[in-house]
Amino acid sequence: MRTSDALVWGVTTKMTTTPQPPSTAWGSLAAHAREIREVDLRSLFADDPGRGERFHLEAEGFYLDFSKNLITRETLALLAQLTDHCGLARRRELMFRGGVVNPSENRPALHVALRMPKGALLVVNGVDVVESVHGVLERMADFATRVREGQWRGCTGQPIKNVVNIGIGGSDLGPKMAYEALRYFSRRDITFRFVSNVDGTDLVESLRDLRPEETLFIVSSKTFGTLETLTNATSARNWLVDQLGESAVERHFVAVSTNAARVSEFGIDPANMFEFWDWVGGRYSLESAIGLSTMVAVGPEQFMEMLAGSHAMDQHFLNAPTLGNLPVVMGLMAVWNHVLLGHPSVGVMPYDQYLHRLPAYLQQLTMESNGKSVTLSGESVVRPTGPIYWGEPGTNGQHSFYQLLHQGTVTVPVDLIGFAKSLNPLGNHHDILMSNVFAQAQALAFGRTAAELTEMGVAPHEVPHRVMTGNRPSNVLLARELTPRVLGSLIALYEHSVFVQGTLYDVDSFDQWGVELGKELAASIVPELDSSGEGPRPHDSSTTSLIAHYIKLKSSEAP
Ligand code: F6P
């Protein structure tokens, strides 16, 4: 058995025996993967001139070329069988009707309800959630319009010129990504800032040039119990109160949360709170009231367009057949590359400056969802789950880490995302940008051989350094233009691709217990760091020494 098989199954103890004949959908795929490693993309394209046409999909304004994955028609057929084996259709139906798809927290995950059109009906536990969603959307639209039109004024009567969203994780990454993505459509006479890090620098630098009379804080937290957010919100409140007095809070602070009691305890009038619900996961919350800052930036109409784009992709995901279904096929490519071919990570490279926060947003969406080691029923998983997602805007990456993508010893499948039209046409910038999308996918797939280099007259000693093995997978995702609607569809596309992957991994894609232990330990350590306190309690010897050294350093003079 070859070493790479260990990656396929992630269970080294079983690696000493010869593999048994495949008996399951996973087994058939593993056998097929062993065969397919013997071929490469060059030969697959040479043998099938129509391949680029064949392995593409179009839906909701997107054109996905997935032909540069190491797949054949048989691969797709086997992956489709796997979706049946794993009950994808059943689980998808469960999610859309509000069933419990997050068993460890006993909750539905109903982000699809956030973008259902007004008048649609979805009753969960006796409540029409679509009606609740539109009730909040209307309040958000009213508030956003008043801020944008200068009717919601600060305590001195001045219109709002700065909006500061305070939140972290899903209460920051989504709104920030969407604000940046839709900046072209945003108001330019209002400044938008996003404070997430508990490092005081984040807040201090964000507020440095702002006038409190013109500044509105949106404190965004599903639980309203997140230490970073509450610490930042308290300091922001002090900054405001110090300059304008306690009574200013009412006109300068609003909250977005599921927890009215904590909002009121913090000192924000629940009348200035925009509600959402337990059934919206943090990383799936951008299109709930958590998107309030985005709505203020682009206006209610464009925000609703984004929701319409997501809804259209939801309907496509719900109704399109397995192999004609964009999120399903993207999810299947991810599982194929990760579990069956053993590639540990995925790069997401947007070729659009406005999408520069997309990789950070997708890191939470993908890894907080599928970075799990137990199945839905609590058993240890027997094969790898979520890959590591990362990325940067494409052309910047090309002049840095793409070296490893082309010639490194690990293979990193990439998603390259581009648009046919620039929102800021400037000379031939856009054609240059897009030529890079096509060229990178080509170079990754087909590389350059030693024979080709020699024929080009490359000096023999350089040849080995310049060989590009190729055979490195990519998806290319194209759309016409980055509009709010297209962004909405893109978000839903990735959300559902993550759902497909989670279903095949058999994990709970909607919980995040892994982030809790660190929070708990930090809460117990923080009192020990105060030099006037009792000092460190006994920990393991490494942690104790680190804390002691920190306390010593912070009370020392500069050398
Ligand atoms: O710690 C992780 C997490 O719970 C994320 O899942 C969530 O998006 C983030 O913290 C922020 O949580 P909240 O919106 O409750 O402040």
Side-chain angles (χ1 to χ4, degrees):
M1 190 169 229
R2 295 175 313 186
T3 10
S4 49
D5 291 328
L7 282 169
V8 171
W9 294 108
V11 179
T12 39
T13 48
K14 290 192 181 156
M15 294 295 102
T16 46
T17 54
T18 310
Q20 297 303 302
S23 58
T24 66
W26 282 110
S28 312
L29 270 163
H32 174 66
R34 278 191 287 276
E35 282 165 21
I36 217 158
R37 283 198 213 96
E38 306 301 326
V39 295
D40 64 12
L41 286 169
R42 272 191 183 231
S43 57
L44 288 174
F45 271 85
D47 294 348
D48 176 6
R51 181 180 170 90
E53 205 16 57
R54 194 178 333 287
F55 293 121
H56 98 269
L57 274 182
E58 282 177 73
E60 300 313 325
F62 284 97
Y63 180 105
L64 170 70
D65 176 356
F66 60 104
S67 64
K68 295 192 185 84
N69 286 284
L70 199 56
I71 54 166
T72 62
R73 275 189 261 205
E74 189 188 349
T75 321
L76 290 180
L78 289 170
L79 286 167
Q81 266 177 33
L82 182 66
T83 63
D84 292 342
H85 172 79
C86 298
L88 175 64
R90 205 176 49 245
R91 195 163 157 75
R92 175 177 56 197
E93 197 264 331
L94 186 68
M95 175 172 76
F96 273 80
R97 77 172 143 82
V100 173
V101 286
N102 175 0
S104 87
E105 296 180 303
N106 194 27
R107 283 180 190 162
L110 259 182
H111 39 288
V112 293
L114 299 173
R115 50 253 190 164
M116 285 184 177
K118 193 171 178 176
L121 184 71
L122 180 61
V123 179
V124 178
N125 297 331
V127 176
D128 178 1
V129 295
V130 183
E131 198 184 339
S132 314
V133 162
H134 281 272
V136 174
L137 280 171
E138 276 159 26
R139 281 191 63 222
M140 288 167 64
D142 174 61
F143 177 75
T145 305
R146 283 197 286 147
V147 172
R148 286 163 64 83
E149 292 182 354
Q151 292 157 1
W152 176 283
R153 290 176 179 255
C155 62
T156 62
Q158 303 203 30
I160 297 302
K161 290 280 163 228
N162 317 300
V163 174
V164 181
N165 184 78
I166 299 179
I168 198 164
S171 301
D172 166 73
L173 290 162
K176 184 163 182 180
M177 179 279 289
Y179 164 69
E180 295 289 345
L182 299 180
R183 202 167 184 167
Y184 179 84
F185 302 90
S186 74
R187 282 285 288 266
R188 300 307 173 113
D189 55 350
I190 304 180
T191 305
F192 292 86
R193 303 234 164 114
F194 296 82
V195 175
S196 54
N197 199 329
V198 74
D199 180 344
T201 299
D202 198 3
L203 185 71
V204 169
E205 285 294 343
S206 299
L207 301 187
R208 189 175 291 283
D209 57 346
L210 304 189
R211 297 181 62 228
E213 301 87 321
E214 302 175 329
T215 302
L216 173 76
F217 292 96
I218 302 177
V219 185
S220 300
S221 175
K222 178 174 171 178
T223 54
F224 231 76
T226 303
L227 186 60
E228 290 87 342
T229 299
L230 293 185
T231 307
N232 277 323
T234 304
S235 298
R237 195 179 192 282
N238 293 342
W239 175 83
L240 183 92
V241 169
D242 283 351
Q243 299 178 76
L244 300 178
E246 190 67 35
S247 61
V249 173
E250 195 196 337
R251 303 301 297 170
H252 293 268
F253 270 82
V254 298
V256 179
S257 187
T258 58
N259 196 326
R262 284 192 182 154
V263 167
S264 147
E265 213 174 287
F266 178 82
I268 298 177
D269 185 349
N272 292 337
M273 173 183 134
F274 297 85
E275 183 197 7
F276 67 116
W277 308 271
D278 265 358
W279 41 261
V280 184
R283 54 196 174 272
Y284 297 89
S285 65
L286 158 62
E287 292 180 332
S288 71
I290 287 289
L292 184 62
S293 53
T294 311
M295 192 193 265
V296 176
V298 302
E301 213 172 294
Q302 301 286 22
F303 191 85
M304 296 306 286
E305 271 291 291
M306 177 173 78
L307 267 48
S310 294
H311 179 67
M313 187 59 80
D314 294 342
Q315 291 304 301
H316 167 77
F317 177 51
L318 190 57
N319 298 313
T322 304
L323 294 178
N325 192 311
L326 216 50
V328 173
V329 169
M330 289 232 347
L332 291 178
M333 290 304 98
V335 169
W336 169 250
N337 282 323
H338 182 53
V339 184
L340 281 312
L341 298 184
H343 306 319
S345 93
V346 178
V348 182
M349 313 299 170
Y351 280 74
D352 189 299
Q353 187 59 26
Y354 284 127
L355 287 181
H356 71 108
R357 291 295 294 170
L358 183 71
Y361 165 77
L362 290 179
Q363 281 181 338
Q364 187 196 17
L365 180 67
T366 56
M367 295 198 275
E368 205 176 54
S369 295
N370 287 337
K372 311 285 163 69
S373 299
V374 295
T375 63
L376 279 167
S377 57
E379 308 286 319
S380 292
V381 296
V382 294
R383 53 185 79 83
T385 59
I388 298 158
Y389 274 77
W390 59 285
E392 271 288 313
T395 44
N396 300 359
Q398 284 172 212
H399 294 271
S400 119
F401 54 78
Y402 272 43
Q403 165 61 38
L404 181 147
L405 300 190
H406 287 291
Q407 285 190 314
T409 52
V410 288
T411 298
V412 183
V414 290
D415 291 351
L416 309 175
I417 304 170
F419 298 88
K421 286 171 79 73
S422 170
L423 291 166
N424 297 297
L426 183 64
N428 65 345
H429 283 230
H430 199 66
D431 284 344
I432 294 176
L433 175 71
M434 291 305 294
S435 68
N436 280 285
V437 176
F438 308 129
Q440 289 300 326
Q442 211 172 25
L444 286 165
F446 308 121
R448 186 161 267 169
T449 64
E452 285 164 349
L453 288 161
T454 305
E455 203 179 315
M456 285 161 59
V458 170
H461 74 277
E462 277 184 24
V463 167
H465 299 282
R466 292 180 56 174
V467 165
M468 319 263 286
T469 56
N471 212 30
R472 296 169 188 251
S474 65
N475 291 312
V476 175
L477 200 52
L478 286 181
R480 183 171 178 277
E481 199 171 35
L482 180 56
T483 60
R485 187 181 172 96
V486 165
L487 180 70
S489 294
L490 183 65
I491 292 165
L493 170 58
Y494 272 99
E495 284 174 349
H496 297 321
S497 162
V498 165
F499 177 83
V500 171
Q501 293 171 57
T503 300
L504 303 194
Y505 299 140
D506 191 25
V507 298
D508 187 331
S509 298
F510 301 107
D511 65 9
Q512 57 285 318
W513 295 105
V515 300
E516 293 305 325
L517 176 60
K519 290 183 193 172
E520 197 182 304
L521 296 177
S524 77
I525 288 174
V526 76
E528 302 172 37
L529 303 187
D530 184 346
S531 13
S532 60
E534 288 176 11
R537 289 181 296 115
H539 294 275
D540 62 275
S541 57
S542 159
T543 309
T544 307
S545 306
L546 285 166
I547 293 174
H549 194 66
Y550 168 79
I551 291 172
K552 192 169 113 199
L553 274 184
K554 82 173 187 165
S555 56
S556 65
E557 295 296 320

PDB file of all heavy atoms in Angstrom, residues 125-145:
ATOM      1  N   ASN A 125     -41.578  25.503  15.016  1.00  0.00           N
ATOM      2  CA  ASN A 125     -42.103  25.546  16.389  1.00  0.00           C
ATOM      3  C   ASN A 125     -43.269  26.523  16.518  1.00  0.00           C
ATOM      4  O   ASN A 125     -43.337  27.344  17.426  1.00  0.00           O
ATOM      5  CB  ASN A 125     -41.010  25.938  17.390  1.00  0.00           C
ATOM      6  CG  ASN A 125     -39.905  24.903  17.418  1.00  0.00           C
ATOM      7  OD1 ASN A 125     -40.157  23.723  17.149  1.00  0.00           O
ATOM      8  ND2 ASN A 125     -38.678  25.337  17.699  1.00  0.00           N
ATOM      9  N   GLY A 126     -44.153  26.480  15.551  1.00  0.00           N
ATOM     10  CA  GLY A 126     -45.370  27.294  15.613  1.00  0.00           C
ATOM     11  C   GLY A 126     -45.188  28.754  15.230  1.00  0.00           C
ATOM     12  O   GLY A 126     -46.134  29.532  15.281  1.00  0.00           O
ATOM     13  N   VAL A 127     -43.962  29.163  14.834  1.00  0.00           N
ATOM     14  CA  VAL A 127     -43.739  30.575  14.500  1.00  0.00           C
ATOM     15  C   VAL A 127     -43.389  30.685  13.018  1.00  0.00           C
ATOM     16  O   VAL A 127     -42.570  29.919  12.513  1.00  0.00           O
ATOM     17  CB  VAL A 127     -42.564  31.150  15.335  1.00  0.00           C
ATOM     18  CG1 VAL A 127     -42.260  32.588  14.943  1.00  0.00           C
ATOM     19  CG2 VAL A 127     -42.868  31.034  16.812  1.00  0.00           C
ATOM     20  N   ASP A 128     -44.022  31.646  12.335  1.00  0.00           N
ATOM     21  CA  ASP A 128     -43.660  31.899  10.937  1.00  0.00           C
ATOM     22  C   ASP A 128     -42.371  32.719  10.930  1.00  0.00           C
ATOM     23  O   ASP A 128     -42.385  33.933  11.138  1.00  0.00           O
ATOM     24  CB  ASP A 128     -44.785  32.646  10.222  1.00  0.00           C
ATOM     25  CG  ASP A 128     -44.410  32.972   8.778  1.00  0.00           C
ATOM     26  OD1 ASP A 128     -43.307  32.599   8.345  1.00  0.00           O
ATOM     27  OD2 ASP A 128     -45.230  33.605   8.087  1.00  0.00           O
ATOM     28  N   VAL A 129     -41.256  32.039  10.690  1.00  0.00           N
ATOM     29  CA  VAL A 129     -39.964  32.726  10.811  1.00  0.00           C
ATOM     30  C   VAL A 129     -39.770  33.766   9.707  1.00  0.00           C
ATOM     31  O   VAL A 129     -39.086  34.769   9.900  1.00  0.00           O
ATOM     32  CB  VAL A 129     -38.768  31.736  10.840  1.00  0.00           C
ATOM     33  CG1 VAL A 129     -38.795  30.869  12.066  1.00  0.00           C
ATOM     34  CG2 VAL A 129     -38.695  30.901   9.587  1.00  0.00           C
ATOM     35  N   VAL A 130     -40.411  33.570   8.557  1.00  0.00           N
ATOM     36  CA  VAL A 130     -40.235  34.537   7.460  1.00  0.00           C
ATOM     37  C   VAL A 130     -40.871  35.872   7.855  1.00  0.00           C
ATOM     38  O   VAL A 130     -40.328  36.947   7.584  1.00  0.00           O
ATOM     39  CB  VAL A 130     -40.829  33.994   6.142  1.00  0.00           C
ATOM     40  CG1 VAL A 130     -40.574  34.966   4.997  1.00  0.00           C
ATOM     41  CG2 VAL A 130     -40.220  32.641   5.811  1.00  0.00           C
ATOM     42  N   GLU A 131     -41.997  35.781   8.534  1.00  0.00           N
ATOM     43  CA  GLU A 131     -42.644  37.016   8.985  1.00  0.00           C
ATOM     44  C   GLU A 131     -41.745  37.746   9.989  1.00  0.00           C
ATOM     45  O   GLU A 131     -41.562  38.961   9.909  1.00  0.00           O
ATOM     46  CB  GLU A 131     -43.991  36.669   9.626  1.00  0.00           C
ATOM     47  CG  GLU A 131     -44.900  37.859   9.709  1.00  0.00           C
ATOM     48  CD  GLU A 131     -46.205  37.513  10.431  1.00  0.00           C
ATOM     49  OE1 GLU A 131     -46.569  36.318  10.510  1.00  0.00           O
ATOM     50  OE2 GLU A 131     -46.834  38.460  10.943  1.00  0.00           O
ATOM     51  N   SER A 132     -41.148  36.989  10.922  1.00  0.00           N
ATOM     52  CA  SER A 132     -40.237  37.613  11.902  1.00  0.00           C
ATOM     53  C   SER A 132     -39.057  38.255  11.184  1.00  0.00           C
ATOM     54  O   SER A 132     -38.651  39.372  11.504  1.00  0.00           O
ATOM     55  CB  SER A 132     -39.683  36.591  12.893  1.00  0.00           C
ATOM     56  OG  SER A 132     -40.695  35.767  13.370  1.00  0.00           O
ATOM     57  N   VAL A 133     -38.495  37.535  10.205  1.00  0.00           N
ATOM     58  CA  VAL A 133     -37.331  38.044   9.471  1.00  0.00           C
ATOM     59  C   VAL A 133     -37.679  39.372   8.807  1.00  0.00           C
ATOM     60  O   VAL A 133     -36.947  40.363   8.920  1.00  0.00           O
ATOM     61  CB  VAL A 133     -36.878  37.009   8.397  1.00  0.00           C
ATOM     62  CG1 VAL A 133     -35.993  37.642   7.338  1.00  0.00           C
ATOM     63  CG2 VAL A 133     -36.171  35.842   9.067  1.00  0.00           C
ATOM     64  N   HIS A 134     -38.827  39.421   8.137  1.00  0.00           N
ATOM     65  CA  HIS A 134     -39.172  40.658   7.419  1.00  0.00           C
ATOM     66  C   HIS A 134     -39.552  41.782   8.372  1.00  0.00           C
ATOM     67  O   HIS A 134     -39.328  42.960   8.056  1.00  0.00           O
ATOM     68  CB  HIS A 134     -40.236  40.377   6.348  1.00  0.00           C
ATOM     69  CG  HIS A 134     -39.605  39.775   5.128  1.00  0.00           C
ATOM     70  ND1 HIS A 134     -39.106  40.544   4.102  1.00  0.00           N
ATOM     71  CD2 HIS A 134     -39.310  38.484   4.820  1.00  0.00           C
ATOM     72  CE1 HIS A 134     -38.555  39.747   3.204  1.00  0.00           C
ATOM     73  NE2 HIS A 134     -38.663  38.485   3.613  1.00  0.00           N
ATOM     74  N   GLY A 135     -40.071  41.420   9.546  1.00  0.00           N
ATOM     75  CA  GLY A 135     -40.343  42.454  10.556  1.00  0.00           C
ATOM     76  C   GLY A 135     -39.039  43.162  10.915  1.00  0.00           C
ATOM     77  O   GLY A 135     -38.959  44.404  10.950  1.00  0.00           O
ATOM     78  N   VAL A 136     -37.971  42.389  11.135  1.00  0.00           N
ATOM     79  CA  VAL A 136     -36.679  42.992  11.503  1.00  0.00           C
ATOM     80  C   VAL A 136     -36.076  43.724  10.305  1.00  0.00           C
ATOM     81  O   VAL A 136     -35.538  44.826  10.443  1.00  0.00           O
ATOM     82  CB  VAL A 136     -35.711  41.917  12.060  1.00  0.00           C
ATOM     83  CG1 VAL A 136     -34.332  42.519  12.312  1.00  0.00           C
ATOM     84  CG2 VAL A 136     -36.262  41.319  13.339  1.00  0.00           C
ATOM     85  N   LEU A 137     -36.185  43.119   9.117  1.00  0.00           N
ATOM     86  CA  LEU A 137     -35.633  43.795   7.928  1.00  0.00           C
ATOM     87  C   LEU A 137     -36.279  45.169   7.744  1.00  0.00           C
ATOM     88  O   LEU A 137     -35.605  46.137   7.382  1.00  0.00           O
ATOM     89  CB  LEU A 137     -35.876  42.944   6.671  1.00  0.00           C
ATOM     90  CG  LEU A 137     -34.911  41.780   6.460  1.00  0.00           C
ATOM     91  CD1 LEU A 137     -35.386  40.889   5.299  1.00  0.00           C
ATOM     92  CD2 LEU A 137     -33.487  42.281   6.173  1.00  0.00           C
ATOM     93  N   GLU A 138     -37.574  45.255   8.019  1.00  0.00           N
ATOM     94  CA  GLU A 138     -38.243  46.560   7.871  1.00  0.00           C
ATOM     95  C   GLU A 138     -37.725  47.571   8.889  1.00  0.00           C
ATOM     96  O   GLU A 138     -37.486  48.734   8.561  1.00  0.00           O
ATOM     97  CB  GLU A 138     -39.763  46.382   7.977  1.00  0.00           C
ATOM     98  CG  GLU A 138     -40.330  45.968   6.621  1.00  0.00           C
ATOM     99  CD  GLU A 138     -41.688  45.285   6.704  1.00  0.00           C
ATOM    100  OE1 GLU A 138     -42.444  45.537   7.673  1.00  0.00           O
ATOM    101  OE2 GLU A 138     -41.979  44.463   5.797  1.00  0.00           O
ATOM    102  N   ARG A 139     -37.511  47.109  10.119  1.00  0.00           N
ATOM    103  CA  ARG A 139     -36.954  48.023  11.145  1.00  0.00           C
ATOM    104  C   ARG A 139     -35.544  48.456  10.750  1.00  0.00           C
ATOM    105  O   ARG A 139     -35.155  49.608  10.920  1.00  0.00           O
ATOM    106  CB  ARG A 139     -36.900  47.325  12.507  1.00  0.00           C
ATOM    107  CG  ARG A 139     -38.242  47.276  13.217  1.00  0.00           C
ATOM    108  CD  ARG A 139     -38.050  46.821  14.652  1.00  0.00           C
ATOM    109  NE  ARG A 139     -37.232  47.754  15.413  1.00  0.00           N
ATOM    110  CZ  ARG A 139     -36.271  47.414  16.274  1.00  0.00           C
ATOM    111  NH1 ARG A 139     -36.005  46.143  16.501  1.00  0.00           N
ATOM    112  NH2 ARG A 139     -35.566  48.329  16.897  1.00  0.00           N
ATOM    113  N   MET A 140     -34.767  47.496  10.239  1.00  0.00           N
ATOM    114  CA  MET A 140     -33.398  47.831   9.804  1.00  0.00           C
ATOM    115  C   MET A 140     -33.442  48.867   8.676  1.00  0.00           C
ATOM    116  O   MET A 140     -32.686  49.832   8.664  1.00  0.00           O
ATOM    117  CB  MET A 140     -32.670  46.575   9.285  1.00  0.00           C
ATOM    118  CG  MET A 140     -32.280  45.574  10.351  1.00  0.00           C
ATOM    119  SD  MET A 140     -31.794  43.987   9.591  1.00  0.00           S
ATOM    120  CE  MET A 140     -30.334  44.417   8.663  1.00  0.00           C
ATOM    121  N   ALA A 141     -34.353  48.638   7.725  1.00  0.00           N
ATOM    122  CA  ALA A 141     -34.430  49.533   6.560  1.00  0.00           C
ATOM    123  C   ALA A 141     -34.823  50.936   7.008  1.00  0.00           C
ATOM    124  O   ALA A 141     -34.264  51.931   6.538  1.00  0.00           O
ATOM    125  CB  ALA A 141     -35.431  48.991   5.551  1.00  0.00           C
ATOM    126  N   ASP A 142     -35.743  51.005   7.952  1.00  0.00           N
ATOM    127  CA  ASP A 142     -36.189  52.312   8.449  1.00  0.00           C
ATOM    128  C   ASP A 142     -35.024  53.031   9.130  1.00  0.00           C
ATOM    129  O   ASP A 142     -34.741  54.202   8.866  1.00  0.00           O
ATOM    130  CB  ASP A 142     -37.351  52.071   9.427  1.00  0.00           C
ATOM    131  CG  ASP A 142     -37.779  53.358  10.089  1.00  0.00           C
ATOM    132  OD1 ASP A 142     -38.194  54.265   9.349  1.00  0.00           O
ATOM    133  OD2 ASP A 142     -37.657  53.470  11.329  1.00  0.00           O
ATOM    134  N   PHE A 143     -34.311  52.283   9.961  1.00  0.00           N
ATOM    135  CA  PHE A 143     -33.184  52.878  10.696  1.00  0.00           C
ATOM    136  C   PHE A 143     -32.075  53.286   9.723  1.00  0.00           C
ATOM    137  O   PHE A 143     -31.552  54.412   9.790  1.00  0.00           O
ATOM    138  CB  PHE A 143     -32.664  51.853  11.718  1.00  0.00           C
ATOM    139  CG  PHE A 143     -31.461  52.326  12.474  1.00  0.00           C
ATOM    140  CD1 PHE A 143     -31.582  53.271  13.486  1.00  0.00           C
ATOM    141  CD2 PHE A 143     -30.192  51.837  12.176  1.00  0.00           C
ATOM    142  CE1 PHE A 143     -30.464  53.720  14.181  1.00  0.00           C
ATOM    143  CE2 PHE A 143     -29.069  52.278  12.856  1.00  0.00           C
ATOM    144  CZ  PHE A 143     -29.212  53.221  13.869  1.00  0.00           C
ATOM    145  N   ALA A 144     -31.727  52.383   8.808  1.00  0.00           N
ATOM    146  CA  ALA A 144     -30.636  52.675   7.859  1.00  0.00           C
ATOM    147  C   ALA A 144     -30.974  53.916   7.037  1.00  0.00           C
ATOM    148  O   ALA A 144     -30.128  54.785   6.819  1.00  0.00           O
ATOM    149  CB  ALA A 144     -30.406  51.474   6.947  1.00  0.00           C
ATOM    150  N   THR A 145     -32.219  54.004   6.621  1.00  0.00           N
ATOM    151  CA  THR A 145     -32.624  55.159   5.809  1.00  0.00           C
ATOM    152  C   THR A 145     -32.515  56.445   6.631  1.00  0.00           C
ATOM    153  O   THR A 145     -32.029  57.468   6.145  1.00  0.00           O
ATOM    154  CB  THR A 145     -34.070  54.953   5.303  1.00  0.00           C
ATOM    155  OG1 THR A 145     -34.103  53.705   4.624  1.00  0.00           O
ATOM    156  CG2 THR A 145     -34.510  56.060   4.363  1.00  0.00           C
TER     157      THR A 145
END
